[in-house]
């Protein structure tokens, strides 16, 4: 069972919304002082599973895009 998005998740979503196509490391960089990189990458994975973001793999990076259908923050 996934938990509801908290303050960090909402901030990550906001960063992705403002900079569509950013890499995972760009999206999580400001939060590395609060949580470990592995925990933050797990949060990105969870946001992708909830369909709040789209993760597009390229040759060297994974680019993140906000899912327009979930722009209001709902899970449905």
């Amino acid at each position: 069972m996934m938990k509801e998005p908290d303050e960090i998740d909402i901030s990550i979503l906001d960063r992705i919304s403002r900079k569509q196509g950013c890499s995972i490391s760009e999206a999580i960089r400001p939060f590395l002082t609060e949580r470990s990189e592995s925990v933050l990458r797990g949060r990105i994975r969870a946001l992708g599973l909830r369909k709040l973001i789209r993760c597009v793999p390229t040759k060297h990076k994974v680019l993140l895009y906000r899912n327009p259908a979930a722009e209001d923050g709902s899970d449905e």
Side-chain angles (χ1 to χ4, degrees):
M1 182 169 157
M2 286 190 258
K3 63 179 182 59
E4 289 299 311
D6 67 359
E7 204 174 295
I8 292 176
D9 294 331
I10 292 167
S11 297
I12 290 172
L13 285 170
D14 185 52
R15 271 183 76 79
I16 295 169
S17 293
R18 284 187 281 121
K19 188 169 184 201
Q20 295 284 325
C22 67
S23 67
I24 293 174
S25 58
E26 287 175 293
I28 66 172
R29 185 173 293 128
F31 311 104
L32 289 171
T33 57
E34 300 173 42
R35 300 282 189 275
S36 70
E37 183 174 356
S38 60
V39 167
L40 292 169
R41 286 179 177 271
R43 286 175 177 250
I44 294 288
R45 208 170 19 258
L47 292 172
L49 288 172
R50 290 183 133 171
K51 307 260 191 254
L52 296 175
I53 60 172
R54 253 183 332 118
C55 301
V56 179
T58 66
K59 190 171 185 176
H60 299 286
K61 297 181 186 183
V62 175
L63 303 180
L64 305 174
Y65 297 91
R66 184 69 197 261
N67 186 353
E71 199 66 41
D72 59 0
S74 68
D75 286 342
E76 298 166 334

